[in-house]
Amino acid sequence: MWLCAFIFAFFVCLSGSDLSGPRAWILPRQSPHFDRPGDVIVGGSFSIFHFSDGTPSDFTAPPTGLQTSSASMWGYRVTQSFVFAIEEINRSAHLLPNLTLGFSIRNSGDSVHGALYETMGFLTGQKEPIPNYTCQHGSPQAALVGDTRSSLSVSMARLLGLYKFPQVSYSSSLPSLSDKIQFPSFLRTLTSDITSSHAVTQLIIHFQWSWVIILAQDDDFGQQASSLATQQLSPAGVCIEYHLHVPSYQSLGKIEETVQKMQKCTAKVVLVFLSNLNFQLILRGLLGVPVSGQVWVSKGTLHMALALTIPGISQVLQGTFGLLYHSSRAIGFPEFLAHLRPSQTPEDMFIKKFWEFTFDCTWPYQNSTVTEGVQFCTGNESLKNKPHPFPEVSKIDAAYTAVYSIAHALHNMLACEHQERKGTNSHNFHSWQLLHALKKVHFKTLDGIKIMFDANGDLVTKFDIFQGQKTPAGVFHLVHVGMIDPQVSSGNKMMVQLKEDLQVSSLNAEETVPTSICSESCLPGFSQVPRLGAPHCCFDCSPCPEGQFTDQRDMKRCLLCPKEQYSSHTRDHCLPRTEIFLAFEEPLGFVLALVALLLAGLAVLVLGVFLKHRDTPVVRANNRTLSYFLLISLSLCALCALLFLGRPTVTTCLLRQTTFAVVFTVAVSSVLAKTLTVVLAFRVTRPRSRIQICLSPGTSTFVVLIASLIQVVLCGVWLATSPPFPDKDMISEPQHIVIQCQEGSGATFFCVLGYLGFLAGGTFSVAFLARGLPDIFNETKFLTFSMLLFCSVWTAFLPLYHSARGKSTVAVEIFSILASTAGLLGGIFIPKCYIILLKPEKNTPAWLKQGYCAQQEKQGEMLQRRYKFSGESPEPNI
């Protein structure tokens, strides 16, 4: 109670000292009231007239006191809404039917000391109030409505809180007033700045404005509101381009600096937490500079309404948004105000002064003389032609709602006392009882608006969204475009409802809601790449790589498609991948299969020719058994290409490479045996020598069997350790899943191919060295040529195989098999078939004997040259 003791001593000193006469140095000389009796009295503190300090003091005489300097254009209208609500309640048959409300309206003068003085006067009922003492024995006092500014309400709330006396404010939005520890008896029929600031940030998030400017007052309100806005906007992905602070005191230099910074801004949305005066100064500064298309977003409509008085301001305020809390409307109040006359309310001590200020006239007095140019008030002037500005409506409705809240709380309290049969009447209740009922009040107004307070004493309400728009006639006005409901929320997000015809679009003179972004939105198929040193809202758009996609705008990174899918050409969705393999039905597979069958058939046909002419010299030359082996193996080589066509299975995967390796080993080893036969034939110099023994048919067959057996063993080891198996290739072709045979053990596979390559290389080397040996049918040359084709094909196969992708690798391998088969078949057997079928005269013993003699002569010459250089003596050939 130290504050109460301090106030008591303060007022006692003022009234009992030598300065009791000059009490007016701190309070007005006259304190007019507007009182009306009733069963219960409701107080009202309004800023009707503003006070000034008069002439400066020279400290030689007491100050002259506070003088009335001007009238508030809307303060008295708010006062009349207070009167209108009480008269409406007194006429109601349902609300307080057996009780008449009275009131005591006081003028705070828009000053803290005036508000405190009038509050204490209302509590004590004294003209010179003394704290903790009252001489009032009339009707009980219910509550006090007021005041305008938060600084006034804070001082009043600290005083009224000591007595638990209810106070309902209609205009104070300071967040600290929600603290029920400091201000236990304070309530208000509007929301706090925190709630409204949260709501305005939700509007920015709803419109997806990601690049904004915050213009805040450099005081507690501006700093707290802008800090809250930053905390709400940052997690939502909104970046602040500039955070501009404007001093609370009037500074034209700072205003000009702020205007210059705003010219450099690229953000289209400006979030405003400014006083009315500073806001108007900044707008005036922007009128002469090339800044257009900016959207001003404010937590109230007062800024915009006051700005409408600035000529040409619609160019700056086009598309501006503001919020107004959803409150009950004082229906019928404009008519009530239009019929207001000073003669009807003689007890109103404020109306004549208000009349003079409003109608610019003077009331005639008895001793007054008529002065030229002075207009006298008649009292018949009408306020109907003096419309109040738009922001006044909110305060009028809030004061109207405040009176109804007190009336409903009083009604509920009395009804509860009556039900409990405690015998309590309207003259016997305590202020704390009404405060308890006021905190729990919940009712509907005449226009259907629900009124209730939350735990902090703030009104539970919605926000109406207003937008500045131009009519077809060019008139700039505020239009209701939507609503924000803080009660319907998900986490920290409030529900924002807009009219269907309001849409966000790119900036254009004909469009209502521009966008505000640092970077253009990244379309689906692109991802955001942050710019170095810039906020996260500034980025570049990069297309998604193959196999990745983005199906929404402004995605931070591309998403991987599932393994069974691939990204579309636009990279905005994934498509199912189709399984592919080299099938018989497709053109390439059909052609390769047809060629394989033709080659196999050709080999069989040649085999049939050889069997038919098996006793002819051409067939018998150089081991016809090897020729049979070679033709059969070439036929199988051509047919093994068919294993590479069609969908790979476990069986085909096991047979593909192993069959290929074995049959080609038989073919190459048969060519090797043929080549060795020719070479060794020219090495025979003595009868029954070892070389001659090696020329027997069994030896050649043995060579083929041994070479083939080694390959069979290698293939067996491969199949036993890590055999081939069907597999899906997800990498080679992005749009397809390639069904292929995985080779299993790579080391064993390369051993099989390496052995075949070694055998082919050895065969080619031997054939190349023997290409100049004399031969009746030039078989050494044909063997060399065929092996040259074979080795060339498989040498070219290696780079082509490793560079091909998907089913192309299978096609390359099949082509190599068929090409090498055709090379061996054509290089070795086509010349012989040519002699057999087209030159039969050369396939006779006589022609062979003639050719043999020529061959012996040539062979003898070669032996003579050989013995000459070696020093050996020839032996007779028996």
Side-chain angles (χ1 to χ4, degrees):
M1 298 297 291
W2 61 271
L3 180 60
C4 184
F6 171 76
I7 296 175
F8 174 78
F10 178 74
F11 278 95
V12 168
C13 290
L14 289 179
S15 60
S17 64
D18 293 337
L19 296 177
S20 60
R23 171 173 41 82
W25 74 273
I26 190 170
L27 299 173
R29 286 184 171 183
Q30 296 180 352
S31 181
H33 303 160
F34 179 11
D35 297 333
R36 185 172 293 176
D39 297 328
V40 177
I41 303 299
V42 179
S45 178
F46 304 93
S47 297
I48 303 174
F49 301 115
H50 297 167
F51 293 140
S52 64
D53 291 336
T55 59
S57 175
D58 57 2
F59 300 100
T60 60
T64 57
L66 300 177
Q67 304 294 330
T68 300
S69 61
S70 62
S72 172
M73 293 302 295
W74 57 268
Y76 187 74
R77 289 182 170 88
V78 178
T79 303
Q80 286 300 318
S81 71
F82 176 87
V83 177
F84 173 73
I86 288 183
E87 291 182 359
E88 195 174 62
I89 292 170
N90 288 336
R91 293 193 301 267
S92 174
H94 304 285
L95 183 61
L96 298 175
N98 299 320
L99 186 145
T100 301
L101 290 180
F103 58 79
S104 178
I105 297 176
R106 296 166 181 262
N107 175 37
S108 65
D110 198 30
S111 63
V112 174
H113 52 270
L116 275 176
Y117 178 76
E118 296 297 345
T119 301
M120 193 54 113
F122 173 72
L123 288 176
T124 61
Q126 305 174 49
K127 294 183 178 179
E128 296 182 357
I130 299 176
N132 291 338
Y133 177 77
T134 179
C135 60
Q136 183 173 332
H137 301 288
S139 302
Q141 298 163 324
L144 181 63
V145 176
D147 201 315
T148 307
R149 292 190 294 115
S150 294
S151 56
L152 278 62
S153 295
V154 167
S155 302
M156 296 169 59
R158 291 191 187 278
L159 177 61
L160 295 172
L162 297 174
Y163 303 102
K164 299 295 187 293
F165 193 86
Q167 175 190 0
V168 183
S169 175
Y170 55 86
S171 183
S172 302
S173 57
L174 190 69
S176 60
L177 286 169
S178 299
D179 186 357
K180 296 299 102 180
I181 297 179
Q182 296 187 60
F183 311 103
S185 63
F186 179 84
L187 298 95
R188 50 189 166 193
T189 52
L190 72 165
T191 59
S192 70
D193 287 333
I194 289 182
T195 305
S196 56
S197 298
H198 189 192
V200 80
T201 59
Q202 295 301 306
L203 186 65
I204 290 178
I205 295 172
H206 179 80
F207 282 129
Q208 297 181 355
W209 289 324
S210 60
W211 192 234
V212 301
I213 305 167
I214 292 183
L215 197 58
Q217 193 94 353
D218 195 11
D219 56 11
D220 291 342
F221 158 67
Q223 292 176 1
Q224 188 173 17
S226 61
S227 176
L228 175 67
T230 303
Q231 294 175 9
Q232 295 289 333
L233 294 176
S234 295
V238 180
C239 297
I240 312 299
E241 183 180 14
Y242 286 108
H243 203 140
L244 304 178
H245 294 278
V246 180
S248 54
Y249 58 89
Q250 193 171 350
S251 174
L252 295 180
K254 186 66 176 178
I255 295 294
E256 183 178 355
E257 181 183 346
T258 302
V259 171
Q260 291 177 356
K261 287 183 178 180
M262 293 189 66
Q263 295 181 52
K264 303 176 183 178
C265 296
T266 59
K268 299 295 183 181
V269 174
V270 184
L271 186 55
V272 180
F273 300 106
L274 288 179
S275 65
N276 300 329
L277 180 59
N278 278 332
F279 184 64
Q280 293 184 68
L281 289 175
I282 288 179
L283 290 181
R284 291 181 184 274
L286 290 173
L287 279 176
V289 298
V291 176
S292 62
Q294 287 183 328
V295 177
W296 301 79
V297 182
S298 172
K299 74 178 190 64
T301 57
L302 180 60
H303 291 330
M304 292 184 290
L306 293 177
L308 294 178
T309 60
I310 304 176
I313 199 62
S314 61
Q315 299 177 0
V316 181
L317 289 180
Q318 181 70 23
T320 296
F321 287 88
L323 301 182
L324 180 65
Y325 56 88
H326 194 66
S327 60
S328 175
R329 300 290 183 240
I331 302 174
F333 177 71
E335 292 77 11
F336 171 83
L337 202 62
H339 292 88
L340 184 66
R341 299 292 184 273
S343 58
Q344 297 175 354
T345 55
E347 70 274 22
D348 187 351
M349 307 298 293
F350 307 107
I351 189 170
K352 287 191 174 182
K353 201 69 175 177
F354 170 75
W355 219 259
E356 291 181 344
F357 278 106
T358 302
F359 297 102
D360 194 19
C361 62
T362 303
W363 290 99
Y365 299 100
Q366 285 184 343
N367 297 328
S368 61
T369 59
V370 178
T371 306
E372 185 179 356
V374 176
Q375 181 181 355
F376 287 107
C377 301
T378 64
N380 294 322
E381 293 85 357
S382 176
L383 292 172
K384 184 177 181 180
N385 298 323
K386 296 286 184 179
H388 45 266
F390 182 82
E392 197 175 311
V393 175
S394 62
K395 299 188 184 302
I396 288 173
D397 294 337
Y400 175 84
T401 304
V403 176
Y404 263 90
S405 301
I406 296 171
H408 276 276
L410 184 61
H411 182 92
N412 296 338
M413 182 189 70
L414 296 178
C416 182
E417 295 289 345
H418 178 73
Q419 291 178 0
E420 294 180 2
R421 302 175 183 268
K422 291 186 178 181
T424 302
N425 54 43
S426 60
H427 298 273
N428 185 19
F429 68 87
H430 299 284
S431 58
W432 61 265
Q433 291 176 300
L434 181 60
L435 176 62
H436 179 73
L438 190 58
K439 290 180 178 180
K440 294 185 175 182
V441 72
H442 188 187
F443 65 97
K444 277 189 177 182
T445 60
L446 298 178
D447 54 351
I449 303 299
K450 292 182 180 180
I451 302 296
M452 61 180 297
F453 300 98
D454 61 14
N456 297 322
D458 300 332
L459 182 68
V460 177
T461 184
K462 303 173 183 178
F463 291 93
D464 292 325
I465 305 173
F466 288 87
Q467 184 190 22
Q469 295 182 5
K470 270 188 178 181
T471 63
V475 179
F476 186 75
H477 67 301
L478 299 176
V479 180
H480 180 262
V481 295
M483 182 189 66
I484 298 178
D485 191 355
Q487 305 305 312
V488 182
S489 60
S490 176
N492 290 327
K493 293 184 178 180
M494 298 181 179
M495 185 188 71
V496 180
Q497 291 180 336
L498 296 174
K499 293 184 177 179
E500 295 181 357
D501 57 347
L502 187 70
Q503 297 179 354
V504 180
S505 57
S506 58
L507 185 59
N508 189 292
E510 300 297 330
E511 293 166 341
T512 56
V513 185
T515 57
S516 182
I517 54 177
C518 179
S519 300
E520 289 296 331
S521 177
C522 290
L523 298 175
F526 294 82
S527 63
Q528 296 180 356
V529 178
R531 294 178 185 172
L532 186 63
H536 65 86
C537 297
C538 302
F539 50 82
D540 297 316
C541 296
S542 175
C544 292
E546 181 69 44
Q548 299 183 20
F549 76 102
T550 54
D551 55 355
Q552 298 178 7
R553 286 176 172 264
D554 296 326
M555 294 189 67
K556 301 298 182 183
R557 61 184 182 86
C558 298
L559 305 176
L560 287 172
C561 288
K563 290 184 178 181
E564 294 76 15
Q565 298 179 355
Y566 70 98
S567 56
S568 63
H569 177 70
T570 55
R571 302 290 192 270
D572 57 354
H573 65 284
C574 292
L575 299 173
R577 301 170 70 174
T578 57
E579 294 183 348
I580 61 169
F581 48 86
L582 192 56
F584 290 96
E585 294 81 8
E586 59 182 292
L588 180 59
F590 177 76
V591 170
L592 292 176
L594 183 61
V595 172
L597 293 176
L598 289 176
L599 284 177
L602 183 59
V604 172
L605 182 61
V606 172
L607 178 60
V609 171
F610 270 51
L611 290 175
K612 182 178 179 180
H613 301 85
R614 58 183 176 274
D615 294 326
T616 62
V618 173
V619 177
R620 295 182 61 185
N622 202 359
N623 200 329
R624 60 184 173 185
T625 304
L626 287 179
S627 299
Y628 297 157
F629 280 155
L630 182 56
L631 287 171
I632 295 172
S633 63
L634 289 178
S635 177
L636 294 177
C637 285
L639 292 176
C640 80
L642 300 178
L643 294 173
F644 291 83
L645 295 173
R647 185 184 183 90
T649 62
V650 176
T651 304
T652 56
C653 286
L654 291 174
L655 296 177
R656 274 186 181 182
Q657 302 294 351
T658 53
T659 304
F660 157 74
V662 171
V663 295
F664 264 89
T665 301
V666 173
V668 173
S669 61
S670 298
V671 175
L672 176 61
K674 276 180 167 292
T675 307
L676 290 176
T677 302
V678 174
V679 173
L680 293 178
F682 284 95
R683 296 288 297 178
V684 177
T685 57
R686 297 183 182 89
R688 294 182 297 276
S689 62
R690 292 182 178 179
I691 296 178
Q692 190 175 10
I693 296 174
C694 293
L695 291 176
S696 62
T699 304
S700 300
T701 306
F702 181 76
V703 170
V704 174
L705 292 177
I706 291 298
S708 302
L709 182 61
I710 295 174
Q711 186 69 284
V712 170
V713 171
L714 290 175
C715 291
V717 172
W718 181 17
L719 296 179
T721 56
S722 181
F725 57 90
D727 191 23
K728 294 181 179 181
D729 181 9
M730 303 286 188
I731 301 174
S732 299
E733 297 190 22
Q735 301 181 8
H736 304 97
I737 300 176
V738 181
I739 308 300
Q740 63 180 9
C741 288
Q742 183 59 257
E743 309 304 343
S745 175
T748 312
F749 174 63
F750 285 111
C751 288
V752 171
L753 294 184
Y755 174 74
L756 181 59
F758 170 75
L759 197 62
T763 303
F764 173 71
S765 300
V766 174
F768 182 79
L769 295 175
R771 72 187 184 282
L773 294 177
D775 192 1
I776 299 175
F777 300 106
N778 296 318
E779 190 165 12
T780 55
K781 293 181 176 61
F782 296 144
L783 292 175
T784 304
F785 176 73
S786 62
M787 288 307 301
L788 177 63
L789 290 178
F790 183 89
C791 293
S792 299
V793 168
W794 289 105
T795 302
F797 162 79
L798 294 176
L800 291 175
Y801 184 82
H802 288 289
S803 61
R805 291 290 181 268
K807 61 182 181 180
S808 298
T809 59
V810 180
V812 169
E813 188 168 1
I814 295 175
F815 178 79
S816 300
I817 291 173
L818 297 179
S820 58
T821 302
L824 292 176
L825 182 61
I828 297 175
F829 294 100
I830 295 301
K832 293 186 177 183
C833 290
Y834 173 79
I835 295 174
I836 295 173
L837 299 177
L838 300 180
K839 297 291 184 179
E841 66 276 5
K842 293 183 179 182
N843 194 18
T844 60
W847 189 90
L848 180 63
K849 184 176 180 181
Q850 182 181 356
Y852 180 76
C853 292
Q855 180 182 354
Q856 288 293 328
E857 292 179 2
K858 190 175 181 180
Q859 183 179 4
E861 293 176 0
M862 292 178 61
L863 290 176
Q864 291 295 333
R865 287 195 300 268
R866 174 184 172 188
Y867 296 143
K868 179 179 180 180
F869 288 105
S870 62
E872 298 179 3
S873 59
E875 295 183 0
N877 189 4
I878 302 175

